[in-house]
Amino acid sequence: MEPSDTPKPIAVLGSPIEIGASQRGTLMGPAALRTAGLVTLLHGLGFDVKDHGDLRVDAVAELDDAPPDNARHYREIQRWIRTLSARAYELARSGVIPIFLGGDHSLSMGSVNGIARHCREAGRELFVLWLDAHTDYNTPATTITGNMHGMSAAFLCGEPGLDGLLGEEPRASISPDQLEVFGARSIDKLEKDLLRERRVSVADMRQIDEFGVGVLMRRVIDKVQARGGVLHVSFDVDFLDPGLAPGVGTTVPGGATYREAHLVMELLHDSGLVQSLDIVELNPFLDERGRTARTAVELIGSLFGQQITDRPTPTNAIGR
């Protein structure tokens, strides 16, 4: 394939949802990422970027399905997820690379569902790389807290318990085999049992320490390439070590270092597989003078081709 002179356009959409988590503040995440220079950086890398502003759900009608037990703020989250799924589907169909700015991780139930729906219609297999300290594979039957940001990956893999969440919006589940969790270091007991039963691929921090980021990321990339798939990256900033990224409400010690995280993004860029992205759980209220937001933006720069030293850009790199 010949390299394109014009990179694929990017669409940025904010989803300021915070009620899926126990700690408020992630509704300020989209503004913090913009203030930290995300759109300016992408423009500087040669991309045509359209910022669609922030999603609003004020006028979205509520459904009348019975809310499940142990799913806090279900009704309001349902409005967000239905709306976001439809917008994600529209953006994916338009041929852009959508970047969804969160907001807590419950937003991925909408963003990834919309992308998966488009991929299914296009005959492409969608894989999801879950960069996160948590696996988010709880259901209403297993959750300890009832917080829906901890159920997002399970919902996307078709687990029962939130079956009415999308209403009339088509549900496009992926199989557990298409989920790749990377960087996990905090998993609930029943959640762990379900992950084992479903055979979800989980590269925890022990494996990263033992084998290194390069080996494990190339396994993911090779798997997706071998099956002719595309990749959605769901980047929870608590994937990073709290010393590097304090602006999250669910800090867990022992996360990815600055260089490990950049290597993840650099390898993903070179693979050319990433067609959509979430950036979630940034809580500026807990941050230190924008430190976490700036780090997240730097990492997205690496994902879209920013380099420490000049080297040839692979012809299959993201956006090319």
Side-chain angles (χ1 to χ4, degrees):
M1 181 178 69
E2 292 296 322
S4 172
D5 293 331
T6 305
K8 197 171 183 180
I10 292 174
V12 172
L13 178 64
S15 183
I17 178 173
E18 65 175 357
I19 51 175
S22 57
Q23 187 135 342
R24 298 298 175 96
T26 56
L27 88 168
M28 299 184 288
L33 289 164
R34 292 184 178 103
T35 301
L38 176 64
V39 174
T40 302
L41 179 145
L42 293 170
H43 276 304
L45 292 172
F47 289 91
D48 177 18
V49 185
K50 182 176 181 180
D51 190 342
H52 292 258
D54 287 351
L55 201 66
R56 297 182 63 90
V57 297
D58 313 60
V60 177
E62 290 192 352
L63 301 183
D64 58 2
D65 59 314
D69 294 331
N70 300 323
R72 300 178 66 221
H73 304 293
Y74 171 84
R75 189 62 73 204
E76 189 170 351
I77 290 173
Q78 183 180 53
R79 292 161 66 200
W80 280 102
I81 300 314
R82 290 162 54 209
T83 307
L84 186 54
S85 177
R87 286 297 302 277
Y89 173 70
E90 292 168 4
L91 289 172
R93 283 191 69 193
S94 73
V96 302
I97 298 176
I99 301 179
F100 305 97
L101 310 181
D104 70 64
H105 220 155
S106 64
L107 73 85
S108 296
M109 293 189 276
S111 62
V112 179
N113 186 79
I115 300 296
R117 178 185 169 197
H118 167 68
C119 287
R120 184 173 63 187
E121 292 178 359
R124 299 295 300 275
E125 193 172 11
L126 178 69
F127 292 80
V128 178
L129 177 62
W130 207 259
L131 299 174
D132 202 323
H134 311 84
T135 56
D136 295 335
Y137 212 86
N138 271 303
T139 70
T142 67
T143 180
I144 297 171
T145 65
N147 294 327
M148 288 182 64
H149 71 161
M151 306 181 196
S152 42
F155 173 80
L156 293 171
C157 289
E159 297 294 344
L162 299 172
D163 304 296
L165 187 64
L166 287 162
E168 296 300 314
E169 181 71 15
R171 187 173 181 180
S173 299
I174 63 173
S175 75
D177 179 58
Q178 293 164 264
L179 176 66
E180 297 284 336
V181 179
F182 201 90
R185 53 194 187 277
S186 176
I187 310 174
D188 297 332
K189 171 63 171 66
L190 294 178
E191 184 182 21
K192 189 181 298 184
D193 293 342
L194 190 54
L195 287 162
R196 185 184 305 111
E197 183 179 336
R198 299 294 189 259
R199 298 184 179 180
V200 173
S201 174
V202 179
D204 61 19
M205 289 308 299
R206 159 65 192 268
Q207 290 175 284
I208 290 173
D209 289 342
E210 186 170 357
F211 298 105
V213 162
V215 169
L216 296 175
M217 277 307 306
R218 286 188 178 93
R219 286 182 187 174
V220 174
I221 290 167
D222 289 348
K223 175 180 175 179
V224 178
Q225 288 176 334
R227 288 164 58 169
V230 295
L231 195 58
H232 175 97
V233 175
S234 202
F235 170 39
D236 187 324
V237 293
D238 75 14
F239 165 68
L240 305 171
D241 190 80
L244 175 62
V248 296
T250 51
T251 55
V252 185
T257 66
Y258 187 78
R259 274 308 316 152
E260 285 174 334
H262 272 286
L263 181 56
V264 167
M265 298 304 185
E266 290 160 3
L267 291 171
L268 288 171
H269 169 261
D270 291 351
S271 76
L273 294 171
V274 178
Q275 296 298 311
S276 49
L277 169 70
D278 302 322
I279 311 169
V280 302
E281 298 288 353
L282 172 62
N283 189 330
F285 186 74
L286 303 173
D287 205 2
E288 299 172 357
R289 300 188 179 187
R291 180 180 172 192
T292 306
R294 290 195 304 271
T295 299
V297 168
E298 290 170 5
L299 289 168
I300 301 313
S302 288
L303 178 62
F304 284 93
Q306 193 169 48
Q307 299 176 353
I308 298 170
T309 58
D310 291 334
R311 59 186 185 275
T313 299
T315 57
N316 63 335
I318 292 170
R320 304 290 169 178

